[in-house]
Amino acid sequence: MPTLLGMFGYTPTIYMPKPGSKDIYKRLKTQCDNMGIKTLPPSSDAEALTTALSSSDVILDAIFGFSFKGPVRPPFDEALPSLTNSKLPIVSVDIPSGWDVEAGKIETLGLEPDVLVSLTAPKEGVKLFKGRHFLGGRFVPKIFADKYQLNLPEYPSFAQIVEFTTVDGSHRL
């Protein structure tokens, strides 16, 4: 995601409270370094994060991923409140960080994003999400959507993203 933002002319800053040790995380870090995308050093020093947030327009939340099961552990238990306290708009990918993928927001530490972009299909845990909710990508073949009764919205024309709304303008899943 940060590399795509960089390719589209944005200047992202990456904050990983605890960098992953798997090869995929190391490759992402290398890609970002090669593109000149700044990565804040992991530490409990909130000053670097506060400084980065003060020069930011939005927070793109993709900390845990769609398989998260609580509880939120250190150092994330300190990072999430810092993001919330920044007062910047938050856009979460797939499920807000700190939310259980099946049960939803069960901890007070979970982020309350303004916007949620679900990939493939909405996760069970976002049923009570109150902000704007979009579905990104046409990744589910119709046969699977029908088989699992996913009730996915229709994409207009060749669009790759669609907002979940009802006739009265309220959100739906």
Side-chain angles (χ1 to χ4, degrees):
M1 188 94 44
T3 54
L4 288 174
L5 291 170
M7 285 185 219
F8 284 109
Y10 295 95
T11 310
T13 298
I14 300 171
Y15 174 60
M16 293 186 281
K18 181 180 177 186
S21 59
K22 293 181 181 175
D23 192 49
I24 191 168
Y25 297 111
K26 292 176 184 177
R27 289 194 316 259
L28 174 61
K29 174 73 167 87
T30 300
Q31 279 183 318
C32 291
D33 289 346
N34 290 341
M35 291 182 67
I37 296 172
K38 181 180 176 180
T39 302
L40 298 177
S43 70
S44 58
D45 178 15
E47 188 174 329
L49 178 57
T50 301
T51 301
L53 290 171
S54 69
S55 63
S56 298
D57 298 316
V58 67
I59 294 169
L60 180 60
D61 161 42
I63 296 174
F64 294 122
F66 69 89
S67 60
F68 176 78
K69 297 278 188 188
V72 177
R73 295 176 293 278
F76 304 100
D77 59 343
E78 292 179 19
L80 294 181
S82 296
L83 299 177
T84 299
N85 294 338
S86 75
K87 305 299 183 206
L88 288 170
I90 298 174
V91 177
S92 291
V93 177
D94 250 348
I95 190 154
S97 288
W99 289 37
D100 183 282
V101 71
E102 293 174 356
K105 186 175 181 185
I106 55 176
E107 291 193 43
T108 57
L109 290 176
L111 296 180
E112 288 286 350
D114 303 280
V115 175
L116 174 63
V117 179
S118 292
L119 303 177
T120 307
K123 310 314 176 258
E124 184 73 23
V126 302
K127 281 186 176 179
L128 299 178
F129 175 69
K130 301 292 184 206
R132 292 184 73 186
H133 189 179
F134 295 86
L135 179 63
R138 297 181 185 216
F139 305 115
V140 181
K142 181 163 177 29
I143 192 167
F144 290 120
D146 292 344
K147 179 179 179 180
Y148 295 105
Q149 301 173 353
L150 295 180
N151 191 25
L152 299 175
E154 293 292 322
Y155 288 86
S157 185
F158 55 86
Q160 293 297 307
I161 190 163
V162 64
E163 186 169 6
F164 285 103
T165 56
T166 61
V167 177
D168 68 358
S170 62
H171 302 281
R172 70 159 173 84
L173 290 179

